[in-house]
Amino acid sequence: MGAAIGAALPVAVGIAISPLPVVAVALMLVSSRPRANALTFLAAWSVTVAAVVLVVALAAGQTSAPGHDPARWTGWLRIALGAALLLLALRRWRARPRGDGAPDQPRWMSAVESFTPVRSAGLAALLAGVNPKNLLLAVSAGVSVAGATADTTATLMAAVVLAAAASLGVAAPVVVYLAAGDRAGPRLEEIRTWLVRHDAVIMAVLLVVLGAKLIGDGISVL
């Protein structure tokens, strides 16, 4: 299990510092239902990441017999995923705001105030399991786990640990709110503003690093 976690941990950390989910939680914590919405979002985010990693790891692991090297196709898949991350990085870099220009914001940001816990959970599932950046990262983590172990129990435990690591960024604003209560409002707003402003640059750099790592891992398998 340790090898599986170690192989995929950099990608899980990459998911954790993805700005948009953190922005979503920060907005929920200054809405009319802060605790219910934020905690539901956090739970749904963790479950979705764990589910994607587990499903991909189990599916990819079926092609490798215990005690044997990973199937060659997993190497090509890592290279393809790495290349996709590099393309996303280029796209995010080109989309960064220039000068004093305001960055484009997703429509859901203006609707968070009226969210219910169910809608919060749905947004978490979309950001973790449908958003291209986070989905590619979660799939990459699953492929890395499959390449490190073929044991089902170890795969399950690795998915849980990696989902916990990938949830640290989302959990941070919740911890701040629970510790400071309503006093955390101004600080959370500052965090939200900074993350929205620098989302494109943060993700571009992150995707380049993780994309290069995946390509290197894929080449080593081949």
Side-chain angles (χ1 to χ4, degrees), residues 153-183:
T153 301
T155 299
L156 175 60
M157 294 302 297
V160 172
V161 173
L162 292 171
S167 301
L168 291 177
V170 174
V174 179
V175 172
V176 171
Y177 178 84
L178 293 177
D182 293 337
R183 294 175 299 168

Side-chain angles (χ1 to χ4, degrees), residues 8-182:
L9 189 58
V11 182
V13 173
I15 299 173
I17 61 178
S18 180
L20 280 185
V22 181
V23 169
V25 171
L27 288 172
M28 290 174 186
L29 289 171
V30 294
S31 68
S32 57
R33 299 179 180 180
R35 289 176 181 264
N37 285 346
L39 291 175
T40 302
F41 183 97
L42 176 58
W45 170 269
S46 301
V47 170
T48 303
V49 172
V52 173
V53 172
L54 181 61
V55 169
V56 172
L58 291 176
Q62 289 178 354
T63 64
S64 299
H68 290 72
D69 292 334
R72 287 179 60 86
W73 74 267
T74 63
W76 288 113
L77 179 57
R78 293 186 198 190
I79 293 173
L81 290 171
L85 291 180
L86 293 179
L87 289 175
L88 279 175
L90 178 61
R91 181 180 177 184
R92 294 302 298 159
W93 180 258
R94 288 180 173 177
R96 72 190 189 282
R98 310 297 176 91
D100 296 328
D104 294 332
Q105 298 187 17
R107 293 182 180 178
W108 56 260
M109 286 188 183
S110 60
V112 169
E113 173 64 30
S114 61
F115 269 22
T116 63
V118 173
R119 293 186 68 184
S120 299
L123 177 61
L126 288 174
L127 289 178
V130 178
N131 178 275
K133 297 186 296 295
N134 292 322
L135 178 59
L136 278 174
L137 292 173
V139 170
S140 302
V143 173
S144 296
V145 170
T149 181
D151 181 74
T152 302
T153 301
T155 299
L156 175 60
M157 294 302 297
V160 172
V161 173
L162 292 171
S167 301
L168 291 177
V170 174
V174 179
V175 172
V176 171
Y177 178 84
L178 293 177
D182 293 337

Side-chain angles (χ1 to χ4, degrees), residues 172-197:
V174 179
V175 172
V176 171
Y177 178 84
L178 293 177
D182 293 337
R183 294 175 299 168
R187 183 57 179 166
L188 291 172
E189 178 60 25
E190 291 177 5
I191 293 173
R192 183 200 70 81
T193 301
W194 189 89
L195 287 174
V196 169
R197 175 67 182 171

